[in-house]
Amino acid sequence: MAVPTVRLRNGVEHPLIGYGTYKIGFVPASSNSASEPGHSPDQDPAEIIKDAIACGYRYIDCAQFYGNEKVVGKAISESKVPRGDLFLVSKVWGDKIYEGREAILEQLEQTLRDLGTDYLDIYLVHWPVPGKHVAAYQVLEEALEAGKIRAIGVSNYTREDYEELKAVARVLPVVNQIEVNPFLWRKRTYDYFTAEGVVIQSYRALRQGKEMGNACVAEVAKKHGKTAAQILGRWCVQRNIVLVAKTVHRDRMLENMGVFDFQLDEDDMLKLDSLTTPDSLAVSCWGRAGDGLMGCWQEFKALYDKCVVRDTPLAQLEPSAQGVKKEILLD
């Protein structure tokens, strides 16, 4: 099945659905959910990714932080799918962003070696590390000129981060990868970046499978003869938000791809939009288990504050000395 695309500001066609490789074969020690494995130990990580490629995924979402790009490269090589048919995206992590130009360029070369390619379709700044992310982005502009990457993107950027970058960038980013879904519908953020010509990529678009029993989602799913996951996915792609789907099960990989053969009507979209409440913009919810909370509910701003300095020396400083933005657009 040919996957629909959205055109980026540089004219490149970006697949509207991709496969997320986080926690496949490796769980980062500083992950917010480091105690939760990504799959059962009897599953071969490379085979999982090969399944995704066999199911039709061509946009493969990677990152230095994920620690598994060699595994992804192995899967790509064994899949026999031509490089030109794939859309490979990776991200440089905060430690290298903090260290600066040489560390960033060395990491890019490592990523290219691990993935078995001589270019990336997009390379992203993973988090806007205070005082460092703009210079890091300028290094990616060098890599763009050198032909190592076809486009530059950002991830987890707020409006304020983007405006800081925009003031000096020679080449503007084509994407911003953020958490967005009906339960965390950051409409003003979406509207802002869309107006700026930046396409949104969504991680946790399917809420890590923890809202599949939601009554509203179930009602819309029944109406269309679709699954809850397909409704959440369709909500994204209908807005030209790129859906980064993550599962280690082949049947669900196929299920998640089934978002292009139906439309949600205006009433459906309004119902789903209403799942975001003022409280959900104040907290980032990791889901429920039974009658209790699963994991830790963290204030959205607090999560941002933590992640922009994670794995950098800034994390060891007092919050007042870290340089983290005090006021950002949350919704």
Side-chain angles (χ1 to χ4, degrees):
M1 181 191 73
V3 171
T5 61
V6 58
R7 177 164 290 187
L8 304 177
R9 68 161 85 241
N10 63 351
V12 171
E13 297 292 334
H14 189 320
L16 265 173
I17 189 169
Y19 184 70
T21 60
Y22 180 48
K23 296 177 80 171
I24 295 180
F26 181 81
V27 179
S30 64
S31 166
N32 291 317
S33 54
S35 62
E36 301 173 17
H39 53 84
S40 64
D42 61 341
Q43 288 181 284
D44 182 321
E47 290 299 319
I48 293 171
I49 298 165
K50 282 168 63 178
D51 276 347
I53 296 172
C55 287
Y57 291 86
R58 293 297 178 263
Y59 158 32
I60 309 298
D61 191 74
C62 312
Q64 170 201 337
F65 180 66
Y66 301 169
N68 58 1
E69 290 185 324
K70 277 189 178 179
V71 173
V72 177
K74 178 176 185 287
I76 290 171
S77 175
E78 293 177 358
S79 77
K80 306 302 182 184
V81 172
R83 171 65 183 91
D85 292 346
L86 296 171
F87 196 89
L88 300 183
V89 175
S90 188
K91 315 172 197 73
V92 63
W93 187 242
D95 58 347
K96 304 302 181 185
I97 293 169
Y98 183 89
E99 290 170 21
R101 181 178 182 276
E102 293 305 318
I104 293 167
L105 292 176
E106 287 174 11
Q107 179 57 49
L108 172 57
E109 292 297 334
Q110 185 65 56
T111 287
L112 294 174
R113 285 194 297 272
D114 288 348
L115 293 177
T117 184
D118 56 4
Y119 72 94
L120 294 175
D121 291 280
I122 317 179
Y123 200 34
L124 280 62
V125 175
H126 206 149
W127 282 94
V129 178
K132 300 290 184 176
H133 73 96
V134 172
Y137 189 93
Q138 292 173 317
V139 176
L140 302 197
E141 290 179 325
E142 292 181 41
L144 179 69
E145 292 175 352
K148 299 289 186 179
I149 59 179
R150 294 178 70 199
I152 313 172
V154 295
S155 181
N156 299 297
Y157 270 52
T158 65
R159 176 186 62 190
E160 292 75 14
D161 297 316
Y162 179 82
E163 289 178 348
E164 180 185 3
L165 175 63
K166 183 182 175 183
V168 299
R170 290 181 292 112
V171 180
L172 292 174
V174 296
V175 298
N176 183 17
Q177 186 174 125
I178 62 175
E179 179 179 359
V180 61
N181 52 65
F183 298 89
L184 193 64
W185 176 214
R186 298 170 61 192
K187 186 177 187 305
R188 287 205 295 164
T189 294
Y190 167 81
D191 288 344
Y192 171 80
F193 280 102
T194 300
E196 287 288 324
V198 178
V199 169
I200 296 295
Q201 297 173 332
S202 173
Y203 66 84
R204 295 200 193 106
L206 305 183
R207 295 291 287 177
Q208 299 173 301
K210 294 167 185 171
E211 292 288 356
M212 298 307 172
N214 178 273
C216 175
V217 176
E219 178 187 345
V220 177
K222 183 178 179 181
K223 172 181 172 179
H224 291 276
K226 291 290 182 175
T227 66
Q230 289 168 334
I231 296 303
L232 295 178
R234 181 66 207 179
W235 180 90
C236 282
V237 300
Q238 195 156 310
R239 285 191 163 98
N240 275 344
I241 295 173
V242 176
L243 167 62
V244 182
K246 163 73 190 305
T247 180
V248 298
H249 303 289
R250 187 184 178 98
D251 58 339
R252 292 179 189 163
M253 293 174 188
L254 292 169
E255 175 187 339
N256 292 341
M257 289 279 280
V259 295
F260 300 112
D261 60 351
F262 72 105
Q263 290 267 343
L264 298 173
D265 60 34
E266 184 178 357
D267 184 56
D268 298 329
M269 295 296 276
L270 289 173
K271 284 180 180 177
L272 294 168
D273 291 353
S274 72
L275 294 173
T276 295
T277 65
D279 284 346
S280 61
L281 290 171
V283 295
S284 185
C285 167
W286 294 94
R288 294 179 179 272
D291 294 327
L293 290 174
M294 181 175 184
C296 178
W297 289 38
Q298 302 186 45
E299 290 186 5
F300 191 73
K301 178 63 165 65
L303 183 64
Y304 170 90
D305 291 352
K306 171 187 174 181
C307 290
V308 294
V309 300
R310 185 163 56 179
D311 295 334
T312 78
L314 296 173
Q316 307 306 314
L317 302 178
E318 291 296 321
S320 60
Q322 291 175 341
V324 178
K325 293 177 176 64
K326 296 184 182 301
E327 298 292 334
I328 59 172
L329 180 66
L330 294 177
D331 64 349

